[in-house]
Amino acid sequence: MKGIILAGGSGTRLYPLTTVTSKQLLPVYDKPMIYYPLSVLMMAGIKDILIISTPHDLPNFHNLLGDGSRYGVHLSYKVQPRPEGLAQAFVLGEEFIAGEPCALVLGDNIFYGNGLRSLLLRAVSASEQHATVFGYYVDDPERYGVVEFDENNHAVSIVEKPEHPASNYAVTGLYFYDARVTEFAKEVKPSARGELEITDLNRIYLEDESLNVTTLGRGYAWLDTGTMDSLYEAGEFVRTVQRAQGLPISVLEEIAFENGWIERDRLFEAAKRYGKSPYGLHLRDVAERRIISRPKD
């Protein structure tokens, strides 16, 4: 399976912070924002990943992440000349996808929860013939694509930013699709605001009876960091979780090590690179076996 991180857009809601840099490069507590969605794809076992961003910001992503080899993955980069909807990622990434199943995660989304890896791996397994999206309970569903369920909790409709939402379950910014995704994405027509809406792509799968909607329960957190308040709250969330458990989250080299993608000596190299920062000290603890590698739940 391939993976795409969509990290484009101008981030106008975060001006002046984003006047000179991408919002996905802003810090969320102690790590660049893009570390969090990248960690999700890595936990799903996805090694071949495309990062899509603006012509101005793409070199900075490359400077930060390189070719991905130090994380045990292969990173490619693609320019998005203009932000024309989330489904555009599959049109821009057609050559990269090359007829395989593909996951998409938005570069400003954070996911956290015990058992998340298991949900991700099930979505990957289902992508042979189905698409999987995740529903999350929100207080303001009118801001999102909203899922309507029948009495058996099966999804029957998805509506983008409805005036009268049929439920409080929003579709999050994480999507898994089968090999038909590029073909279906080409069928999506621009909406009234001139964008290729991801909701319309999901609706194609829903009408094909091949869309799985998995709801994230109370043990999970989904954070969309597109506004000033939500960016601050995401940083506070990460800080609170890390202080409570005494361990950092979304540590890319640690995930790569758990997946068997890099050897222990690479952890030592990374620890040396990051020095006495909490990130570097944590990697040294993992490398020296002071911290037991997390189970693949």
Side-chain angles (χ1 to χ4, degrees), residues 42 47 71-72 117 253-264 293 296:
M42 291 174 63
K47 299 182 68 173
Y71 313 116
R117 186 191 295 267
E253 293 89 348
E254 182 181 13
I255 296 170
F257 178 67
E258 292 171 356
N259 288 350
W261 296 348
I262 63 173
E263 300 298 326
R264 194 175 299 276
S293 183
K296 295 178 174 61

Side-chain angles (χ1 to χ4, degrees), residues 71-90:
Y71 313 116
V73 301
H74 178 263
L75 297 179
S76 305
Y77 299 87
K78 183 80 175 183
V79 167
Q80 183 185 37
R82 295 174 304 280
E84 296 178 341
L86 305 186
Q88 185 190 28
F90 300 106

Side-chain angles (χ1 to χ4, degrees), residues 179-190:
R180 298 174 295 170
V181 63
T182 301
E183 170 191 343
F184 284 169
K186 290 179 179 178
E187 296 179 15
V188 176
K189 305 300 181 184

Side-chain angles (χ1 to χ4, degrees), residues 18-282:
T18 51
T19 53
V20 295
T21 190
S22 166
K23 67 178 176 180
Q24 290 87 1
L25 292 171
L26 294 175
V28 176
Y29 189 48
D30 59 349
K31 290 174 286 293
M33 186 186 297
I34 197 170
Y35 272 42
Y36 299 93
L38 179 54
S39 72
V40 169
L41 295 183
M42 291 174 63
M43 283 194 294
I46 299 172
K47 299 182 68 173
D48 202 357
I49 298 168
L50 176 68
I51 296 175
I52 298 176
S53 190
T54 68
H56 176 267
D57 294 314
L58 207 60
N60 291 328
F61 285 106
H62 190 273
N63 290 338
L64 174 67
L65 301 169
D67 63 2
S69 58
R70 64 177 178 262
Y71 313 116
V73 301
H74 178 263
L75 297 179
S76 305
Y77 299 87
K78 183 80 175 183
V79 167
Q80 183 185 37
R82 295 174 304 280
E84 296 178 341
L86 305 186
Q88 185 190 28
F90 300 106
V91 179
L92 293 173
E94 180 177 12
E95 183 178 351
F96 165 79
I97 296 169
E100 294 187 32
C102 187
L104 171 68
V105 61
L106 304 188
D108 60 358
N109 276 212
I110 297 173
F111 295 85
Y112 180 80
N114 184 38
L116 178 61
R117 186 191 295 267
S118 295
L119 288 182
L120 298 174
L121 293 177
R122 283 201 293 270
V124 170
S125 178
S127 66
E128 290 301 317
Q129 296 179 317
H130 294 82
T132 299
V133 299
F134 297 91
Y136 190 84
Y137 189 95
V138 296
D139 290 330
D140 50 355
E142 63 279 355
R143 294 179 51 218
Y144 305 96
V146 174
V147 184
E148 178 184 3
F149 298 95
D150 63 16
E151 62 276 7
N152 296 314
N153 293 326
H154 294 142
V156 294
S157 74
I158 301 179
V159 180
E160 181 69 18
K161 296 180 174 64
E163 185 176 350
H164 303 289
S167 80
N168 284 77
Y169 282 90
V171 177
T172 72
L174 177 62
Y175 318 85
F176 291 80
Y177 297 105
D178 63 19
R180 298 174 295 170
V181 63
T182 301
E183 170 191 343
F184 284 169
K186 290 179 179 178
E187 296 179 15
V188 176
K189 305 300 181 184
S191 65
R193 58 179 183 168
E195 296 190 358
L196 303 180
E197 305 286 356
I198 198 78
T199 294
D200 290 337
L201 176 60
N202 291 332
R203 193 176 293 118
I204 293 174
Y205 276 97
L206 183 63
E207 293 172 354
D208 185 65
E209 298 183 352
S210 55
L211 179 71
N212 299 325
V213 179
T214 299
T215 55
L216 300 177
R218 298 185 183 186
Y220 295 92
W222 168 52
L223 305 169
D224 181 346
T225 59
T227 68
M228 204 68 72
D229 283 344
S230 61
L231 177 62
Y232 176 82
E233 290 164 1
E236 279 295 292
F237 174 82
V238 172
R239 176 180 180 272
T240 299
V241 168
Q242 293 187 168
R243 285 173 64 89
Q245 64 184 12
L247 296 169
I249 65 174
S250 300
V251 179
L252 303 182
E253 293 89 348
E254 182 181 13
I255 296 170
F257 178 67
E258 292 171 356
N259 288 350
W261 296 348
I262 63 173
E263 300 298 326
R264 194 175 299 276
D265 60 350
R266 298 290 293 277
L267 290 181
F268 281 112
E269 291 176 9
K272 183 177 180 180
R273 182 185 313 117
Y274 296 119
K276 294 184 178 180
S277 70
Y279 194 97
L281 294 175
H282 174 75

